[in-house]
Amino acid sequence: GVVASQSFQPDPLMVALMLASWLAIVQLDQRPSTRAALLAGLLSGAAVLIKPVCAFQIAALYVGLWARGLPRSVRSRRARDPRSHWLRTGWRALNERGPLLWGLGTLLPMAAWYLPSLNGGGRLGSQAEQSFKSELLRTAAYWVGWRDHALGVSGGPMVAGAAVLGLVLAPAGRARVALWALLIGYVAYGLTFNYHISTHDYYQLPWLPVVGLALAALAARLVSLANGRSRRLVQAGLALSTLALAALGMREISADIWPRTHTARSDERGYSEIGQLVQHSPRVVFLTPNA
């Protein structure tokens, strides 16, 4: 994540605002109110305004939690007013978590800023056309590139494997629904922006919070399994596991930033050959991984 965020892009700010919107959406699900819906909408709108790609996970989280609470809201309203018509009860339950306020707060800033450029055929329009290439879905390079970038940014296969285990073992209820909604949103985002997700590492930054939350869910489940004297043993095991995963992550970063000698020599020969082919022309620019 540190390496990926070194690129001068709006993605780190987008992720920070996206996390704030997630928190606001969870608080809205816990305590529905007009104020909470407005705050969640404004934070979601700010994140989407910075870069619209985060809309997938934000919308998936909101819809997932909203759908989870809908049956309970209907039952609660029917219990308070059994004589109320079922259509009126359903309509009030649908609007309990402020979907209209949240939707307006999320979409209006993005529409006001981006739609004129998209309709005018400007630079954003050409970028949007390049983001999705249907033919990539049929190539192995796309899937392998997505996998490699996701594993590289999150710290390697062991970290990703532990995160998947956390998704499976997450406590039932709000936590599990939220985690799976975020994962579904990330997958939808990767399928839509398929060119960038498999070639640009900073496009994997929205994956990092999902990994972190899944690891937290796994740690919470392991701690809950321990009681009495074994609790400290489990906590010590978790601490050691965290250090081991951090060490593996640093190893991945080190391998990316400081290439080994034989790799550097091989690259040097390759660059020399390219220079000969273009006759060392000053008009040719070649971007290297460490440029």
Side-chain angles (χ1 to χ4, degrees), residues 26-88:
V26 171
Q27 291 176 338
L28 171 62
D29 182 65
Q30 292 173 328
R31 294 179 294 276
S33 68
T34 301
R35 180 180 179 182
L38 185 60
L39 178 61
L42 291 176
L43 287 172
S44 301
V48 173
L49 179 63
I50 295 299
K51 199 164 184 177
V53 299
C54 64
F56 291 90
Q57 287 175 294
I58 292 175
L61 177 63
Y62 180 85
V63 172
L65 293 179
W66 175 80
R68 170 184 171 269
L70 186 59
R72 185 174 64 251
S73 177
V74 172
R75 289 195 299 268
S76 175
R77 289 184 176 277
R78 291 296 293 172
R80 291 198 302 266
D81 188 6
R83 291 179 296 179
S84 177
H85 193 274
W86 66 272
L87 280 176
R88 182 181 301 173

Side-chain angles (χ1 to χ4, degrees), residues 236-250:
L238 285 173
L240 290 174
S241 301
T242 302
L243 289 174
L245 291 174
L248 288 171
M250 287 304 298

